[in-house]
């Protein structure tokens, strides 16, 4: 294949990649939109369930402390949408951003691992926001925070002192959100194929340019 034809193939792959990345941005926006009411509901549920589950402690806190606790929860619920926006601005939670592959690595393994990682990263973001409810429970002695290495702890304290939902703790998500996230994750495979093909073409281009140069001398 000539240098010119390889360059044309690279152009086509780049155009395809740009389309895919635009689609990922739209999916990202939709996921964040769907997560907001779900997370707000979960934050409220987490705190209020502990209040009911530990009636003796709740009564021991008394009206003044409970009033302060409820104020903190109310404030958290009011801020929850902006908290979701802030957390999910973090590009490290989105596998498609600056997607790269190890050229000599196991292609199928990388694709499979990154597809799984895409879901794990989103759930990590959710756990970061839900940790705000955990912080309230810890502050009012309903719970204790384990270190980031205590995987059995319901609430873990990260190195930056942020409280997150424990790594071994899950949460139920409505089916519509599950579906949107799955569709997003499934597209990682196509992105991988696109990036891999681009890398192959770039290598092929470099090799062909070297051959052409050799033949000129």
């Amino acid at each position: 294949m000539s240098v010119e034809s390889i360059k044309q193939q690279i152009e086509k792959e780049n155009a395809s990649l740009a389309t895919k990345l635009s689609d990922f941005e739209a999916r990202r926006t939709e996921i964040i939109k769907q997560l907001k009411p779900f997370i707000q509901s979960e934050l409220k549920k987490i705190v209020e369930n502990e209040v009911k589950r530990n009636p003796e402690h709740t009564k021991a806190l008394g009206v003044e402390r409970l009033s302060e606790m409820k104020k903190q929860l109310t404030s958290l619920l009011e801020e929850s949408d902006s908290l979701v926006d802030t957390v999910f601005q973090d590009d490290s939670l989105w596998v498609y951003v600056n997607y790269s592959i190890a050229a000599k690595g196991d292609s199928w393994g990388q694709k499979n691992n990154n597809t799984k990682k895409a879901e794990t990263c989103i759930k990590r973001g959710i756990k970061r926001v839900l940790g705000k409810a955990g912080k309230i429970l810890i502050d009012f002695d309903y719970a204790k925070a384990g270190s980031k290495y205590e995987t059995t702890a319901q609430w873990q304290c990260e190195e930056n002192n942020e409280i997150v939902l424990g790594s071994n703790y899950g949460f139920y998500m409505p089916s519509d959100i599950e579906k949107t996230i799955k569709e997003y994750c499934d597209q990682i495979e196509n992105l991988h194929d696109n990036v891999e093909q681009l890398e192959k073409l770039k290598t092929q281009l470099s090799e062909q340019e070297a051959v052409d140069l050799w033949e000129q001398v």
Side-chain angles (χ1 to χ4, degrees):
M1 195 182 295
S2 69
V3 165
E4 191 54 41
S5 60
I6 297 172
K7 285 182 177 179
Q8 288 174 1
Q9 287 293 321
I10 289 174
E11 273 187 35
K12 287 170 68 175
E13 289 296 332
N14 276 327
S16 177
L17 179 60
T19 299
K20 285 184 176 68
L21 292 176
S22 178
D23 178 65
F24 273 116
E25 288 293 328
R27 290 177 187 275
R28 176 175 178 166
T29 299
E30 181 59 26
I31 289 170
I32 292 170
K33 178 183 174 184
Q34 289 186 4
L35 284 177
K36 286 178 178 178
F38 161 69
I39 287 178
Q40 186 179 66
S41 173
E42 283 296 299
L43 290 168
K44 187 172 188 289
K45 190 188 303 180
I46 287 168
V47 173
E48 292 185 346
N49 279 351
E50 284 301 314
V51 169
K52 294 176 193 171
R53 215 172 357 237
N54 296 278
E56 295 307 316
H57 180 65
T58 299
K59 288 186 283 186
L61 283 176
V63 173
E64 189 175 331
R65 287 281 283 160
L66 286 175
S67 176
E68 177 58 31
M69 184 177 176
K70 185 173 276 191
K71 282 180 185 177
Q72 289 190 24
L73 176 59
T74 299
S75 177
L76 175 60
L77 297 178
E78 289 171 352
E79 297 170 1
S80 66
D81 283 1
S82 62
L83 283 170
V84 172
D85 283 330
T86 299
V87 168
F88 284 94
Q89 279 176 1
D90 182 356
D91 284 342
S92 73
L93 298 177
W94 302 97
V95 170
Y96 75 89
V97 177
N98 299 320
Y99 191 90
S100 61
I101 60 173
K104 295 182 180 179
D106 171 18
S107 176
W108 183 87
Q110 290 181 68
K111 186 192 301 187
N112 188 51
N113 289 339
N114 284 331
T115 299
K116 291 177 181 176
K117 183 181 176 183
E119 180 179 6
T120 300
C121 285
I122 291 174
K123 289 186 174 178
R124 187 165 71 237
I126 295 171
K127 288 184 174 188
R128 282 172 59 185
V129 186
L130 295 183
K132 304 299 182 184
K135 177 72 164 57
I136 292 176
L137 296 177
I138 292 163
D139 287 347
F140 288 86
D141 299 319
Y142 281 91
K144 292 183 179 179
S147 74
K148 63 178 292 188
Y149 304 106
E150 293 178 65
T151 56
T152 58
Q154 182 177 9
W155 305 104
Q156 292 173 288
C157 186
E158 301 281 87
E159 290 170 352
N160 60 358
N161 291 322
E162 182 180 21
I163 302 297
V164 300
L165 182 63
S167 55
N168 283 346
Y169 282 75
F171 44 83
Y172 167 80
M173 284 194 294
S175 58
D176 59 331
I177 300 178
E178 290 274 14
K179 181 173 180 288
T180 304
I181 292 175
K182 183 180 185 305
E183 289 171 350
Y184 158 77
C185 294
D186 288 346
Q187 288 304 310
I188 296 296
E189 293 190 7
N190 292 330
L191 176 65
H192 181 94
D193 291 341
N194 201 157
V195 171
E196 184 176 48
Q197 181 60 17
L198 258 174
E199 291 303 312
K200 286 178 179 177
L201 285 168
K202 288 176 183 177
T203 299
Q204 193 176 350
L205 176 62
S206 183
E207 290 172 350
Q208 190 58 52
E209 287 174 334
V211 169
D212 288 354
L213 185 62
W214 172 257
E215 291 179 348
Q216 287 176 25
V217 297

